[in-house]
């Protein structure tokens, strides 16, 4: 049981009662949960994270883009040496050529205007980031621990309790659900899940540039790209190179699992047309199903080469989920000793590259609010209320941004949308090629004069 320790205030000659130490139980060891625990640990809080995974390196998904606000949040949450290690393991977006987009036959359409892209953003693979955060949490991370129930003990000062599949329990003053879009904690708070399928299924993988034919490597280049096809299909190819596009001149601190120029790609299919059983497939079968499904949609061969040369062990299929799109519908419960953050509250499709960064900012804001509780300037429930109000507005904004791309892709999956895509993109490819030829001719003429 926590005890309350009296202290003496010399200025008033009164004994002041210091608040008891807060113990925080975090359910879920993804990016948001680990970032929260790292920040709480650094700030001297008593914290424990329970995650069902047995190894933090076993994680799928795209690479992660961290904009300036997300980097600033991590700078506050991590020890300086670990934050420097994170920067040294990332690629600088500003150093690579602008993103481009292709049609489904692999023809260049032009530069891709990325809405809301911060030029000072960095890219890091998800595994590297999760491992660095797990290192920051240290022994306060409990792996292989599946939460089965959460509750608050009765009474005005009742603590919160989490129960686990092995029969163990964990008690605390605050319980935070960071357990993703199918969050058990959110189901407890809201009585139901607050996220829904976004309408797309994604397949991700990693392909070393060295494994591609020279012609494919030259076409893709040291840049990220989006390839748009008919029937609502698309392929995002993100470029990672912590060596060639290093953020810091600190190779000695590099901890990235990416050891050379690498494409972290993601194919997208509408739920309505995705191959049956796709999400249950693994390895080479998943790779072949993905390629055949894109061929069936009318794709040419060049864009498929990055998938054909991928490491099958890196591949995974998953559903895009999305949280409430209006702030008023997000976190629809009274603030109390149980809360949630990240995808558990505002599940965000990866189409805007903002989901992980938003979860990290959530974590930083909650640490800030809990610091005021420890200082005695705010009650725990008031601090949670302030945190959740801020999270609602931040979460709804990033969902709106990510759903813009999702809705565009889904619009092209209808018969009319697919026909428009087939008709318009070849013309755009021809037009883009003509512009490049004219620009090249103009450059040569300028040189002659």
């Amino acid at each position: 049981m926590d005890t309350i320790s009296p202290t003496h205030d010399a200025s008033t000659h009164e004994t002041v009662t210091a608040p008891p130490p807060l113990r925080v139980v975090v359910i879920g060891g993804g990016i948001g949960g680990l970032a929260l625990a790292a920040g709480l640990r650094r700030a001297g809080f008593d914290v424990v994270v329970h995650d069902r995974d047995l190894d933090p390196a076993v994680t799928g998904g795209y690479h992660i883009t961290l904009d300036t606000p997300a980097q600033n949040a991590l700078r506050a949450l991590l020890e300086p040496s670990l934050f420097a290690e994170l920067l040294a393991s990332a690629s600088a977006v500003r150093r690579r050529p602008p993103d481009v987009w292709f049609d489904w036959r692999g023809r260049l359409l032009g530069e891709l205007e990325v809405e809301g892209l911060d030029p000072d953003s960095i890219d890091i693979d998800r595994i590297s980031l999760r491992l660095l955060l797990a290192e920051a949490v240290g022994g306060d991370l409990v792996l292989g621990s599946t939460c089965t129930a959460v509750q608050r003990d009765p009474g005005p000062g009742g603590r919160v309790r989490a129960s686990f599949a092995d029969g163990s329990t964990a008690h605390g003053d605050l319980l935070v659900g960071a357990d993703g879009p199918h969050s058990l904690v959110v189901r407890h708070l809201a009585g139901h899940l607050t996220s829904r399928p976004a309408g797309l299924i994604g397949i991700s993988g990693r392909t070393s540039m060295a494994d591609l034919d020279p012609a494919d490597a030259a076409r893709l280049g040291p840049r990220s790209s989006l390839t748009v096809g008919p029937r609502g299909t698309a392929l995002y190819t993100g470029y990672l190179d912590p060596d060639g596009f290093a953020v810091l001149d600190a190779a000695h601190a590099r901890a990235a699992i990416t050891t050379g120029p690498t494409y972290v790609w993601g194919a997208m299919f509408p739920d309505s047309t995705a191959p049956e059983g796709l999400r249950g497939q693994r390895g080479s079968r998943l790779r072949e199903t993905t390629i055949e499904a894109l061929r069936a949609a009318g794709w040419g061969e060049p864009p498929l080469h990055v998938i054909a040369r991928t490491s099958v062990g890196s591949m995974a299929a998953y559903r895009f989920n999305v949280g409430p799109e209006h702030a008023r519908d997000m976190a629809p419960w009274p603030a109390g000793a149980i809360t949630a953050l990240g995808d558990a509250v505002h599940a965000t499709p990866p189409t805007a590259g903002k989901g992980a960064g938003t979860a990290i900012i959530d974590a930083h804001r909650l640490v800030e609010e809990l610091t005021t509780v420890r200082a005695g300037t705010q009650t725990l429930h008031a601090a949670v209320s302030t945190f959740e109000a801020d999270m609602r507005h931040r979460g709804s904004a990033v969902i709106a941004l990510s759903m813009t791309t999702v809705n565009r892709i889904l619009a092209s999956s209808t018969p009319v949308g697919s026909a428009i895509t087939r008709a318009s993109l070849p013309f755009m490819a021809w037009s883009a090629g003509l512009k490049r030829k004219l620009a090249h001719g103009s450059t040569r003429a300028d040189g002659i004069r």
Side-chain angles (χ1 to χ4, degrees), residues 17-105:
T17 301
L22 281 174
R23 176 168 176 77
V24 182
V25 178
V26 182
I27 305 301
I31 301 302
L34 291 175
L36 173 65
L40 289 172
R41 197 177 194 225
R42 185 184 185 199
F45 285 87
D46 183 8
V47 60
V48 63
V49 184
H50 289 265
D51 190 76
R52 66 185 180 183
D53 287 351
L54 296 173
D55 183 352
V58 180
T59 183
Y62 297 105
H63 72 276
I64 289 173
T65 299
L66 300 173
D67 60 14
T68 299
Q71 292 175 58
N72 289 340
L74 280 170
R75 185 178 285 105
L77 294 169
L78 298 175
E79 296 290 344
S81 60
L82 266 181
F83 182 70
E85 194 173 339
L86 184 152
L87 292 180
S89 304
S91 293
V93 171
R94 63 181 170 78
R95 297 192 61 196
R96 71 170 191 237
D99 295 359
V100 296
W101 62 309
F102 297 96
D103 73 359
W104 72 93
R105 298 186 186 279

Side-chain angles (χ1 to χ4, degrees), residues 161-345:
R161 178 172 61 192
S163 302
F164 301 95
D166 62 359
S168 64
T169 59
H171 289 78
D173 301 289
L174 176 68
L175 187 145
V176 183
D179 46 345
H182 304 293
S183 172
L184 178 144
V185 176
V186 166
R187 283 200 301 270
H188 167 83
L189 288 167
H192 55 83
L193 285 178
T194 59
S195 63
R196 61 176 176 81
L200 292 178
I201 290 177
I203 302 92
S204 65
R206 300 168 59 89
T207 305
S208 170
M209 181 184 263
D211 291 334
L212 291 173
D213 290 337
D216 291 319
R219 183 183 69 85
L220 290 171
R223 59 197 178 189
S224 296
S225 60
L226 177 66
T227 306
V228 179
R231 302 186 194 176
T233 54
L235 174 66
Y236 174 73
T237 307
Y239 183 80
L240 275 177
D241 187 1
D243 293 312
F245 295 145
V247 177
L248 297 183
D249 183 14
H252 64 281
R254 192 159 300 142
I257 66 160
T258 303
T259 55
T262 301
Y263 297 106
V264 183
W265 58 265
M268 289 163 268
F269 297 91
D271 287 348
S272 58
T273 60
E276 186 175 353
L278 183 68
R279 293 177 61 212
Q281 296 182 14
R282 297 290 183 271
S284 58
R285 185 184 176 195
L286 176 58
R287 179 176 63 187
E288 295 311 311
T289 300
T290 303
I291 291 172
E292 289 305 317
L294 290 173
R295 281 179 180 150
W299 284 54
E301 290 302 310
L304 305 181
H305 293 167
V306 72
I307 303 176
R309 296 297 182 91
T310 200
S311 167
V312 293
S314 70
M315 292 188 63
Y318 49 93
R319 186 186 300 279
F320 288 6
N321 292 284
V322 61
E325 296 185 48
H326 298 288
R328 65 175 181 272
D329 300 323
M330 197 171 288
W333 50 76
I338 301 178
T339 187
L341 55 70
D343 273 354
V345 178

Side-chain angles (χ1 to χ4, degrees), residues 132-149:
L132 284 166
L133 292 173
E135 181 181 347
V137 177
D140 294 325
L141 171 60
V142 182
L143 294 169
S145 183
T146 301
C147 184
T148 56

